[in-house]
Amino acid sequence: MESVQVQVRELPAGEVGRRHFELTTVELPDPGPGQVLVRNTWTSVDPGLRLRLRADAPQGYFPAFPPGSAMDGVFAVGVVEESQADGFPVGSTVWHSYGWRSHAVVDSGEVAMNGIASLRRLDVDAVPAHAYLGPLGAMGLTAYAGLHVIDALDDTGTIWVSAGAGAVGNLVCQIAKLSGLRVVASAGSDEKVAWLLDEVGVDAAFNWRSRPLSESLQQAAPEGLGLCFDSVGGTHLEAALHALNDNGRIALCGSISEYEGAAAGPRNLFLATSKNLTLRGFRGSAHVPLLDEMQQRLGCWLAEGRLVHRESIYEGLESAPTALADMLAGRTTGKTLVRL
Ligand SMILES: NC(=O)c1ccc[n+]([C@@H]2O[C@H](COP(=O)([O-])OP(=O)(O)OC[C@H]3O[C@@H](n4cnc5c(N)ncnc54)[C@H](OP(=O)(O)O)[C@@H]3O)[C@@H](O)[C@H]2O)c1
């Protein structure tokens, strides 16, 4: 069986583009005992891939992608075509960690990406398969776990969600709102702001590109912030430190503003000391034990029509590099996916 895969041609120095990747065809071995052959139907496009396209991938993170080989450790959903593994019959839908390729042989015993992407059979009776790359998968877990680690789910104050129209951000907004918080979200276009207000259902939203962040936050949350879920870092984290009230708490989900360039602060970190703030970094994949609880809660909200999900879909494996570049540049809304 042949598999077509995207591999890294060269590491990007600045903005990532198609020229940094190439498609190759490889021969796959037959699945052995405990293994399945999966035909991928969807693959995920994540900001973290850009961090792994650097020779200096951050310490403790998933490993850098070596040029000239397949990109292992990327979320994908597919259908089992051959099986030698109990519990994974031919025709079943699964998730696993061998995305950005057409087919993969996956070992059912492998612990993948800290356990969040180990081979798992999916129930697709009530939801489309790609929901497991969004609200019912790692995105949902990251949103849920990040709110959990700053004790936001029992709070009733105001939370600012940066990159609020993105894959993780829109779920954070919705979970926070459904849990009783007042939600302020920011995004990089007026169209995204309208979506956040009209469909995601946040209390206030603003376009971070159109005015200084401090002014927008002052208008959206004159009472100050109790909580922040930050995925952007740099100027956004700086604005959060400024706007948080005493004893405020920040979930540090990511710092996407720095992934393709130099780090830009924050320059006012002392405010964390003076205001007794809690800055809590976390990885969704460190909270796999919350996965079932998250899927149950978000699954109910989806079934009841109380949780919306939106995807920016690119067609065909060859479009994956463009999808990554577009997502990093803010040209996508909701979860960015490639359909194979
Ligand atoms: N901790 C974890 O376990 C974990 C897991 C998954 C993701 N993450 C992190 O969560 C963040 C969001 O990931 P995602 O998958 O949900 O991606 P996403 O939000 O769907 O896409 C990235 C978004 O970031 C925004 N952005 C990009 N550059 C920016 C800049 N310079 N300033 C402000 N905003 C910028 C853009 O939105 P706008 O156009 O609206 O600005 C863009 O659409 C990333 O930092 C990612 O690394 C963390």
Side-chain angles (χ1 to χ4, degrees):
M1 164 60 68
E2 287 186 339
S3 176
V4 180
Q5 61 187 33
V6 182
Q7 58 188 43
V8 182
R9 179 184 287 154
E10 63 175 300
L11 295 176
E15 286 184 10
V16 72
R18 290 180 71 95
R19 66 188 179 286
H20 299 113
F21 301 91
E22 59 195 351
L23 283 183
T24 56
T25 302
V26 296
E27 191 67 30
L28 292 179
D30 292 332
Q35 296 183 331
V36 294
L37 171 70
V38 182
R39 175 175 55 81
N40 288 338
T41 50
W42 296 90
T43 190
S44 186
V45 178
D46 302 285
L49 302 184
R50 182 63 187 84
L51 287 173
R52 300 169 67 190
L53 289 164
R54 293 162 48 150
D56 60 343
Q59 272 182 335
Y61 197 57
F62 300 126
F65 295 122
S69 48
M71 298 160 65
D72 292 347
V74 185
F75 300 109
V77 161
V79 176
V80 174
E81 292 206 322
E82 291 176 33
S83 179
Q84 292 222 45
D86 290 343
F88 299 97
V90 169
S92 56
T93 303
V94 292
W95 82 29
H96 62 89
S97 68
Y98 294 95
W100 284 51
R101 71 200 76 188
S102 66
H103 295 77
V105 172
V106 187
D107 195 310
S108 59
E110 181 191 349
V111 177
M113 302 176 75
N114 302 336
I116 184 59
S118 304
L119 186 69
R120 188 177 174 105
R121 193 170 171 189
L122 307 175
D123 179 353
V124 288
D125 286 345
V127 291
H130 64 264
Y132 289 95
L133 294 175
L136 297 183
M139 303 303 115
L141 182 62
T142 301
Y144 194 71
L147 289 167
H148 185 80
V149 297
I150 56 167
D151 295 325
L153 296 171
D154 298 321
D155 208 301
T156 52
T158 299
I159 186 168
W160 174 32
V161 184
S162 65
V168 174
N170 89 86
L171 296 171
V172 175
C173 290
Q174 295 185 76
I175 298 167
K177 189 71 196 147
L178 287 161
S179 303
L181 286 156
R182 178 169 185 273
V183 179
V184 173
S186 55
S189 75
D190 292 345
E191 188 274 334
K192 291 185 189 185
V193 168
W195 179 63
L196 284 164
L197 289 167
D198 299 342
E199 291 183 49
V200 173
V202 300
D203 298 286
F206 61 86
N207 181 346
W208 64 267
R209 293 181 199 271
S210 59
R211 276 171 75 188
L213 283 166
S214 55
E215 283 180 31
S216 298
L217 282 170
Q218 173 62 30
Q219 187 176 22
E223 72 284 13
L225 302 171
L227 300 162
C228 174
F229 191 109
D230 182 42
S231 295
V232 176
T235 53
H236 284 58
L237 181 52
E238 214 165 85
L241 289 165
H242 181 75
L244 276 160
N245 295 328
D246 286 358
N247 303 308
R249 306 185 296 279
I250 310 180
L252 299 172
C253 178
S255 52
I256 194 167
S257 62
E258 302 171 352
Y259 293 178
E260 299 208 287
R267 295 162 298 180
N268 56 352
L269 197 52
F270 182 72
L271 292 179
T273 303
S274 61
K275 295 201 255 183
N276 287 296
L277 305 180
T278 300
L279 277 63
R280 177 66 154 85
F282 75 100
R283 305 268 301 273
S285 61
H287 297 275
V288 177
L290 281 177
L291 182 64
D292 289 344
E293 176 185 316
M294 179 283 291
Q295 286 184 328
Q296 203 172 2
R297 267 180 105 165
L298 271 64
C300 283
W301 286 334
L302 278 174
E304 293 164 5
R306 299 169 75 195
L307 188 83
V308 298
H309 61 102
R310 174 167 169 176
E311 292 80 24
S312 295
I313 295 174
Y314 290 73
E315 300 292 344
L317 197 53
E318 63 282 1
S319 68
T322 304
L324 178 62
D326 284 355
M327 189 259 301
L328 290 166
R331 291 189 286 268
T332 63
T333 304
K335 177 62 194 155
T336 305
L337 291 174
V338 174
R339 176 163 39 203
L340 277 71

